[in-house]
Amino acid sequence: MNLNPSASPTFVQIHREDAGAIQAELVAGLIGGGARIAPKFLYDALGSRLFDAITELPEYYPTRTEAAIFAQHGQAMAAHVAPGSVLIDLGAGSCAKAASLFPVLKPSGYMAVDISVDYLREALGALQERHLDLPMLGLGLDFSKTLALPETAQTWLSGQALAHAPRTVFYPGSSIGNFSPEEALDLLRQAHAVCQSGGEGGGVLIGADLVKPAGILEPAYDDSLGVTAAFNRNLLLNVNRWLGADFQPAEWAHVAFFDARASRIEMHLQARSALTVRWAGGERRFAAGERIHTENSWKWAPADFSALLRAAGFGPVTCWTDTSSWFGVFWAPAAS
């Protein structure tokens, strides 16, 4: 255990931006039959601040509902999580959600994983000052591509005498909904492998947004103040920076709706009139009403999400929900 009052977290950066690959990805999405831009481009500096504002909106229930579940059922969750686990926090961001559970989960180590290492470095540094005796590692990793822990992370675990500690993968916030069911299964199988690479007792603690009426779901993605619309249109400014494109956000309307058959919210940007968007070396003409698909958010029935966890190799599933069953937090041990 690290009792050094000047302790600071360790950082490992695996993900590095490849400008050429990013530009090629954006162009491929724009010139395809149905234009699309990956949701990761929503989260530039301004986009991240706009999303923080979204979580404060009355229509946006997931953040406060999940927080209430953690507050009410944290002790019950701790009864399932193995004592002395290393908590591996996916999409850690500000690390606030994991930190709120430190008193009940009592982890022996904390590994915060995020694609944005600069933001993570600041958040984790401040968190380490409040928990000087808890070893912390910041891992800059695009886990949507691979969740396998790099050798440097394994070395850190060994150096902290945590190589054989149980591993709890923590993935709150319903971000699993941004993956299709097939992609979610692949990610959870990788999470299972991470859990099994440590000592016995590992598992996954994960938040998932649950199916509910469209009248509740749709306002959460199309609020009355237009903050989500601004968040969606800001993506175009980010694309302009990457491609030197000439998108004009005011020419695009925010569209969000629940597709009940697919069980997902879809977000789009819709051309208000016929227009042409140009970038270095290319262009695309959009008809009035034509859309760019920017995000999906799948919603789950508790039984279906439990089945997904079991298909990924996890054992018996425990689920905690709010009184309205709008949101679920699931625990599943890594079965052998």
Side-chain angles (χ1 to χ4, degrees), residues 173-225:
S174 76
S175 296
I176 191 69
N178 292 135
F179 296 86
S180 70
E182 296 77 17
E183 293 166 340
L185 178 59
D186 180 62
L187 178 62
L188 289 170
R189 282 174 172 159
Q190 294 182 66
H192 182 266
V194 168
C195 294
Q196 288 205 310
S197 66
E200 291 186 7
V204 63
L205 186 63
I206 183 169
D209 200 10
L210 303 181
V211 175
K212 59 188 72 65
I216 298 168
L217 284 167
E218 291 180 348
Y221 294 84
D222 191 9
D223 60 277
S224 57
L225 289 178

Side-chain angles (χ1 to χ4, degrees), residues 132-303:
L132 295 174
D133 60 344
L134 181 63
M136 296 186 183
L137 173 72
L139 182 57
L141 177 70
D142 184 357
F143 61 86
S144 68
K145 295 180 179 177
T146 178
L147 184 53
L149 298 182
E151 186 61 34
T152 44
Q154 303 288 1
T155 300
W156 177 84
L157 287 165
S158 297
Q160 299 292 338
L162 297 172
H164 303 293
R167 297 180 185 175
T168 295
V169 173
F170 180 56
Y171 195 21
S174 76
S175 296
I176 191 69
N178 292 135
F179 296 86
S180 70
E182 296 77 17
E183 293 166 340
L185 178 59
D186 180 62
L187 178 62
L188 289 170
R189 282 174 172 159
Q190 294 182 66
H192 182 266
V194 168
C195 294
Q196 288 205 310
S197 66
E200 291 186 7
V204 63
L205 186 63
I206 183 169
D209 200 10
L210 303 181
V211 175
K212 59 188 72 65
I216 298 168
L217 284 167
E218 291 180 348
Y221 294 84
D222 191 9
D223 60 277
S224 57
L225 289 178
V227 181
T228 311
F231 171 67
N232 201 12
R233 282 195 288 265
N234 177 68
L235 171 146
L236 299 176
L237 297 180
N238 198 18
V239 173
N240 284 350
R241 284 188 289 271
W242 278 110
L243 291 185
D246 61 356
F247 277 106
Q248 299 296 319
E251 296 178 343
W252 297 83
H254 169 67
V255 176
F257 59 88
F258 181 57
D259 181 337
R261 189 173 69 171
S263 194
R264 72 185 189 190
I265 284 281
E266 294 187 13
M267 290 205 326
H268 299 255
L269 291 166
Q270 181 171 295
R272 298 182 188 275
S273 61
L275 53 86
T276 299
V277 177
R278 298 176 177 83
W279 58 88
E283 66 177 33
R284 174 160 182 163
R285 294 181 176 86
F286 290 89
E290 192 171 356
R291 294 174 176 174
I292 302 173
H293 197 159
T294 59
E295 187 177 43
N296 293 319
S297 183
W298 271 266
K299 309 302 174 185
W300 290 89

Side-chain angles (χ1 to χ4, degrees), residues 20-145:
I22 290 172
Q23 290 164 354
E25 177 184 355
L26 285 168
V27 169
L30 286 172
I31 65 176
R36 61 180 56 244
I37 299 172
K40 64 185 177 183
F41 294 103
L42 290 162
Y43 295 94
D44 63 353
L46 177 56
S48 296
R49 290 194 291 271
L50 286 167
F51 183 75
D52 286 343
I54 288 169
T55 66
E56 300 292 333
L57 295 169
E59 296 97 330
Y60 194 79
Y61 60 85
T63 302
R64 63 177 177 271
T65 305
E66 183 185 49
I69 294 170
F70 285 138
Q72 182 176 356
H73 299 289
Q75 290 290 351
M77 295 174 192
H80 290 270
V81 174
S85 290
V86 175
L87 193 63
I88 302 173
D89 186 4
L90 303 186
S94 69
C95 307
K97 292 181 180 180
S100 71
L101 292 175
F102 286 174
V104 292
L105 297 185
K106 296 180 171 58
S108 61
Y110 176 57
M111 188 180 299
V113 185
D114 205 285
I115 197 171
S116 177
V117 75
D118 291 334
Y119 182 57
L120 184 62
R121 187 186 302 274
E122 181 179 351
L124 201 59
L127 185 62
Q128 182 78 87
E129 291 179 2
R130 303 199 301 275
H131 300 274
L132 295 174
D133 60 344
L134 181 63
M136 296 186 183
L137 173 72
L139 182 57
L141 177 70
D142 184 357
F143 61 86
S144 68
K145 295 180 179 177

Side-chain angles (χ1 to χ4, degrees), residues 314-326:
F314 290 96
V317 179
T318 303
C319 175
W320 298 271
T321 68
D322 57 289
T323 55
S324 299
S325 295
W326 284 5

